[in-house]
């Protein structure tokens, strides 16, 4: 297993367009997390799944954001009607419940909204 | 309200000396604490963790100390090496259904000079 992968690595889009990112977690991990990171700040929690169930969604996440994890494997994060403030690095992580809070992160998808 | 704070944005040390990175938290429900290391263009990588029932955890050159009464933890790197130059994030998570969901500080950029 090569770890957590994310696609695309970079995305440039125009304001108002929809974008979708994909995350493939480590195969034996049943938990999957999405974070957002802006320059000079730490990763900010967005949402997480245990298997296919979305257990928590940050109140900071507007209704333009939606995430899915069909069949408890890969996950997608969609942003509708993008705004310039959505420009950030979107990080995906996965974990196994028997490893405490230790999470394995992917390389991230850098979104630029013009 | 930032629940995890890293008050030093940057730290510079000489190779071979000790690096001490500090982190403070406010939420007494946190019971698991982690340090991650991040290189440019990569996602954070797990470094070391500590449960709230302990006050010290050691792994090679890395030691994490936890002072629950002060809500403070620190990461010691001895001896520091140029390859340790990176951004270090402190993170905290709670137990139960929130286990694994992490709250991050804004990071400290460590530079180890040869």
């Amino acid at each position: 297993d090569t770890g957590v992968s994310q696609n695309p690595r970079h995305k440039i889009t125009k304001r108002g367009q929809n974008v979708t990112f994909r995350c493939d977690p480590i195969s034996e991990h049943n938990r999957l997390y999405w974070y957002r990171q802006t320059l000079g700040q730490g990763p900010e929690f967005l949402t997480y799944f245990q298997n296919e169930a979305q257990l928590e969604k940050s109140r900071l996440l507007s209704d333009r954001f939606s995430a899915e994890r069909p069949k408890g494997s890969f996950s997608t994060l969609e942003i509708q009607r993008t705004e310039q403030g959505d420009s950030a690095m979107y990080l995906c992580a996965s974990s196994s419940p028997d490893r405490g809070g230790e999470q394995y992160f992917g390389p991230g998808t850098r979104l630029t909204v013009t | 309200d930032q629940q995890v704070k890293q008050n030093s944005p940057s730290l510079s040390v000489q190779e071979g000396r000790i690096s001490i990175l500090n982190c403070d938290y406010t939420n007494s429900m946190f019971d698991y604490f982690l340090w991650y290391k991040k290189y440019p263009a990569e996602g954070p990588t797990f470094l070391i963790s500590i449960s709230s029932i302990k006050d010290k955890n050691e792994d090679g050159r890395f030691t994490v100390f936890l002072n629950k009464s002060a809500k403070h933890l620190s990461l010691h790197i001895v001896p520091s090496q140029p390859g340790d130059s990176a951004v270090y994030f402190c993170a905290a998570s709670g137990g139960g259904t929130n286990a694994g969901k992490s709250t991050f500080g804004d990071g400290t950029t460590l530079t180890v000079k040869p």
Side-chain angles (χ1 to χ4, degrees):
Chain A
D1 196 333
T2 56
V4 179
S5 62
Q6 292 187 246
N7 289 289
R9 293 292 305 275
H10 304 274
K11 179 70 176 179
I12 299 174
T13 191
K14 292 185 177 180
R15 187 177 55 187
Q17 297 294 305
N18 298 344
V19 294
T20 300
F21 309 141
R22 176 178 171 127
C23 170
D24 288 88
I26 294 173
S27 56
E28 62 266 29
H29 287 179
N30 66 346
R31 289 184 176 167
L32 185 148
Y33 309 81
W34 285 98
Y35 293 87
R36 177 173 62 190
Q37 186 178 18
T38 53
L39 194 63
Q41 296 191 337
E44 177 184 38
F45 172 76
L46 295 179
T47 188
Y48 92 97
F49 294 83
Q50 180 158 302
N51 300 314
E52 66 275 10
Q54 186 172 19
L55 294 188
E56 187 170 351
K57 186 175 177 180
S58 169
R59 63 179 182 273
L60 300 174
L61 212 59
S62 77
D63 56 8
R64 295 184 297 106
F65 288 71
S66 62
E68 294 182 342
R69 192 183 183 196
K71 301 179 184 178
S73 55
F74 71 93
S75 176
T76 58
L77 177 68
E78 180 182 17
I79 308 174
Q80 296 182 327
R81 305 181 303 280
T82 53
E83 302 172 355
Q84 288 188 321
D86 297 332
S87 296
M89 176 73 81
Y90 289 84
L91 293 164
C92 174
S94 67
S95 73
S96 175
D98 61 352
R99 294 299 299 271
E102 179 181 337
Q103 296 177 18
Y104 293 81
F105 282 83
T109 295
R110 179 166 295 284
L111 173 66
T112 302
V113 182
T114 61
Chain B
D1 175 28
Q2 193 166 16
Q3 298 186 64
V4 178
K5 292 185 180 180
Q6 295 177 254
N7 291 317
S8 298
S10 63
L11 174 67
S12 181
V13 300
Q14 206 66 34
E15 181 179 6
R17 305 296 291 270
I18 184 171
S19 295
I20 300 176
L21 296 94
N22 294 302
C23 178
D24 297 294
Y25 63 96
T26 58
N27 189 340
S28 58
M29 298 301 292
F30 290 143
D31 63 0
Y32 201 77
F33 303 90
L34 310 99
W35 285 93
Y36 289 84
K37 177 178 176 180
K38 185 181 184 304
Y39 292 117
E42 295 182 8
T45 302
F46 170 74
L47 192 57
I48 191 169
S49 62
I50 188 167
S51 165
S52 61
I53 62 173
K54 297 184 177 180
D55 56 15
K56 177 182 175 180
N57 188 28
E58 192 171 356
D59 183 2
R61 296 185 297 114
F62 302 91
T63 303
V64 57
F65 295 92
L66 176 63
N67 183 333
K68 283 187 65 178
S69 61
K71 293 190 175 67
H72 177 84
L73 62 154
S74 61
L75 174 67
H76 292 208
I77 306 174
V78 182
S80 301
Q81 299 174 355
D84 296 329
S85 297
V87 180
Y88 288 79
F89 291 101
C90 169
S93 66
T97 57
N98 285 328
K101 168 193 168 183
S102 289
T103 301
F104 285 79
D106 287 339
T108 296
T109 300
L110 173 66
T111 303
V112 181
K113 297 180 178 179

